[in-house]
Amino acid sequence: MSLPLLEYKPASQNQRVAGFEVAGDEQPRIYSTDNLLSGSELDLLIKAAYRQICNEQQMLESHRQVNLESQLRAGQITVRGFIRGLVLSDSFRRLTFDSNNNYRFAEICIQRILGRNVYSDREKIAWSIVIATKGIQAFVDELLNSEEYLDNFGDSIVPYQRRRILAQRTKGEVTFAHMARYGADYRDRLPKQVFTGNKGAAKLDYLRWEWQKNPPAIIGKIGAGITYAGVGIVGFLILGVFLGL
């Protein structure tokens, strides 16, 4: 028996404030299939969907969902179905779900699917319970079938960060695309290496992947020896040319 969604109270956020401003550069561009799109316009819509769900950090050729793109172009799925496929794709699962706990994953999905920040820790807890008891697919389906999503994006609009910048404001909320795809707990599990620096300098404790670590000293010595030998040979050849040898 699955647990019902834990109740939480919406907080006052920009997207919950009625707006009467005239559309302009401050407003996000809305990509929709409500009108018949040309091939290039549909390409832009697909790129916008990737950017919203996967962010720039994950927009690689190897992460493309070619089958989903083909279905969207053929009208076999809606934009909402395309968004669902991106969130449930193997690459999104590996890069986002596997590198986060349920609380952080719920927060990321709310940001990217509903286009807003979470209201509170209670909302993160509520949706993390759904992930734990029903699984990722049911969690994603509940977000996409929610009244909030359907009212704002429906079947044809690519989700976007709603009302990030208020009218006449020079700065808005931080874009979700600039937020790390993993939380502090995952970052802290990365291998650590201490760099002492110059004498008297402060110690820096930073994190590196295995492939980012410095190579063994012997590798550097071998490389230096090869470099010096190459320079010597080149110098000998140049000297031979000048002497007519």
Side-chain angles (χ1 to χ4, degrees):
M1 180 179 179
S2 59
L3 299 174
L5 182 65
L6 186 69
E7 293 185 359
Y8 54 87
K9 293 182 179 179
S12 178
Q13 295 181 349
N14 287 355
Q15 84 280 350
R16 300 190 66 236
V17 179
F20 303 98
E21 65 271 11
V22 178
D25 294 338
E26 295 176 337
Q27 307 305 316
R29 180 175 177 180
I30 297 177
Y31 295 89
S32 173
T33 55
D34 285 338
N35 299 320
L36 186 62
L37 300 179
S38 64
S40 60
E41 290 173 330
L42 192 54
D43 288 339
L44 292 176
L45 182 144
I46 290 174
K47 289 180 181 179
Y50 276 113
R51 188 175 298 108
Q52 174 66 19
I53 300 301
C54 302
N55 283 356
E56 298 284 356
Q57 307 159 351
Q58 302 175 35
M59 288 181 65
L60 303 176
E61 184 68 23
S62 59
H63 296 158
R64 283 188 61 189
Q65 304 299 313
V66 179
N67 290 338
L68 288 175
E69 293 181 23
S70 178
Q71 292 174 12
L72 180 62
R73 294 179 191 279
Q76 297 175 343
I77 59 174
T78 61
V79 171
R80 182 160 64 114
F82 184 67
I83 296 298
R84 179 180 183 274
L86 293 182
V87 180
L88 295 178
S89 65
D90 178 67
S91 59
F92 187 84
R93 181 186 181 104
R94 286 187 292 103
L95 295 174
T96 308
F97 177 75
D98 292 348
S99 59
N100 287 290
N101 56 37
N102 288 352
Y103 306 110
R104 175 62 178 154
F105 182 71
E107 180 181 17
I108 289 175
C109 288
I110 289 172
Q111 290 175 343
R112 301 186 187 181
I113 296 176
L114 298 183
R116 64 167 174 83
N117 267 318
V118 293
Y119 290 131
S120 61
D121 288 341
R122 187 175 177 86
E123 184 179 19
K124 288 194 288 187
I125 294 173
W127 286 110
S128 67
I129 293 174
V130 175
I131 298 172
T133 57
K134 297 182 181 180
I136 301 177
Q137 182 172 327
F139 162 66
V140 173
D141 286 340
E142 287 198 29
L143 286 182
L144 291 172
N145 295 331
S146 66
E147 183 178 351
E148 180 178 2
Y149 183 91
L150 295 175
D151 286 346
N152 288 281
F153 309 118
D155 283 325
S156 58
I157 299 177
V158 175
Y160 55 89
Q161 189 168 350
R162 292 180 280 151
R163 303 209 71 200
R164 187 180 73 85
I165 301 177
L166 296 179
Q168 307 304 319
R169 294 285 182 89
T170 56
K171 293 184 179 180
E173 296 177 343
V174 177
T175 60
F176 299 146
H178 286 82
M179 297 182 181
R181 63 176 173 85
Y182 51 79
D185 57 335
Y186 180 77
R187 178 202 63 202
D188 293 341
R189 293 200 301 269
L190 299 178
K192 293 186 177 182
Q193 182 176 355
V194 178
F195 173 72
T196 56
N198 298 327
K199 186 176 180 180
K203 291 185 177 181
L204 300 178
D205 188 8
Y206 57 92
L207 305 164
R208 285 188 170 186
W209 292 104
E210 194 66 32
W211 58 268
Q212 291 177 310
K213 293 182 179 180
N214 293 326
I218 186 64
I219 301 298
K221 292 180 180 179
I222 293 174
I226 294 174
T227 301
Y228 292 141
V231 171
I233 293 173
V234 172
F236 179 77
L237 293 175
I238 294 174
L239 181 61
V241 171
F242 280 109
L243 296 179
L245 299 178

